Each structure stands twice: as C-alpha cells, then as structure tokens.
Amino acid sequence: MTLYPTEPTLVPLPRIDDPRGALSFLQAPHQAPFPIRRTYWIYDVPGGELRGSHAFQNTEEIIIALSGSFEVILHNGTVEQSWRLNRSYVGLYVPRMMWRTLKDFSTNSLALIVASTHYDENDYIRSFTDFRRLAGCA
Ligand code: TYD
C-alpha cells in the first residue's frame, strides 16, 4: 500500500489479462493514497494545446493516460520533472503544491484524473509567482 508520498510517484495499477481483454482498476487506499472525491477527464485536445499550468493548495491527484499519450510536467517551486504517460495501467501520483502542466497530447488521447477533493476554484493557484512564494521558494 502506498502511504501518502510527498513526491510525485508512478503508481503501477493492477492489470488483469484475459483472452477477452485486459481490465485495470484504481481504488483507495491501495492505489490512490487518498479518499477519492472526484474524477474528471480531458479529451479532444487540439494539437499543441496545454492544459493545467496551475497548482492546487490541497488537492492530490492521480493522472492516467487511459488512451494515447501526453506529457505531465511537475514543478515543486525549485525542481522540474516530467513524465510521458502512455499506459492505462500506470498512474502518476501528484501531491498537493505542485505546479503542473499537461502537454503534447497525441491524437485521441484521454487523460483521467482522480482527485482527493471536490471541485473548488479557491484551491487553485494560478500564478507561478504566487506558487513559488507559497511553496517557500521565492
Ligand atoms: P481547469 O482545471 O482550469 O482546466 P485545466 O487545468 O485542464 O486547463 O478547468 C477548466 C474549467 O472547468 C474551469 O472553468 C473549471 C471547470 N471545472 C469544473 O467545473 N470542475 C472540475 O472538476 C474541473 C477540474 C474543472
């Protein structure tokens, strides 16, 4: 069981292979180290578009490429890391207080995001300057 990591972490998801096809799943607390309160998904992204470019003060997430591929770039105020997600049985755990950007979506890609909070615009930090200050890096 994953125990509340403070760093971004790739989370291997179960994959049940069967002659009829494969099945994967995500449940708390085994694969999602937080209570799941919301899911949303991003799709039909035109070539070259970016999503995200903000941080959350409290929300933790797991991002999965259910179809296609895209890049997730995470910045903790000091260090930037990136991952190309392209497997429906691997999630990326994103802790709170990470500046995050999703980009380079392949055609027909589908990003599923599982979140620890209900939607709250007040949880967003939309200025990178404010983010660095709140992260104690400014
Ligand atoms: P936003 O999180 O800014 O999108 P992205 O980070 O992918 O660029 O959300 C875009 C819009 O969708 C914004 O008006 C808020 C709305 N929204 C909801 O109403 N509920 C949700 O759970 C999410 C994630 C967004």
Side-chain angles (χ1 to χ4, degrees):
M1 186 173 93
T2 317
L3 285 175
Y4 297 87
T6 54
E7 294 296 320
T9 312
L10 284 174
V11 181
L13 303 175
R15 179 186 161 119
I16 318 282
D17 281 305
D18 186 292
R20 299 168 299 150
L23 180 153
S24 290
F25 58 90
L26 168 66
Q27 70 177 2
H30 306 284
Q31 291 83 30
F34 51 76
I36 296 167
R37 297 222 166 76
R38 176 169 50 120
T39 62
Y40 59 96
W41 45 100
I42 296 170
Y43 53 99
D44 286 352
V45 179
E49 281 295 342
L50 297 183
R51 301 298 307 222
S53 292
H54 52 64
F56 297 115
Q57 296 175 68
N58 291 309
T59 302
E60 300 165 75
E61 296 186 324
I62 291 181
I63 303 176
I64 305 166
L66 282 190
S67 177
S69 68
F70 50 86
E71 191 172 353
V72 183
I73 301 161
L74 299 180
H75 200 303
N76 66 6
T78 311
V79 177
E80 182 176 284
Q81 290 177 276
S82 69
W83 293 261
R84 183 142 200 104
L85 300 184
N86 57 7
R87 298 277 182 262
S88 57
Y89 51 88
V90 177
L92 177 64
Y93 169 75
V94 182
R96 58 184 287 278
M97 287 301 283
M98 283 278 159
W99 188 264
R100 70 162 177 70
T101 304
L102 277 60
K103 69 171 196 181
D104 287 342
F105 287 82
S106 68
T107 306
N108 290 330
S109 54
L110 168 60
L112 176 73
I113 296 104
V114 177
S116 67
T117 59
H118 297 141
Y119 174 72
D120 177 5
E121 177 60 32
N122 293 323
D123 193 37
Y124 283 70
I125 306 168
R126 293 196 181 271
S127 147
F128 190 64
T129 308
D130 290 349
F131 168 69
R132 290 200 74 232
R133 182 174 46 76
L134 289 166
C137 303

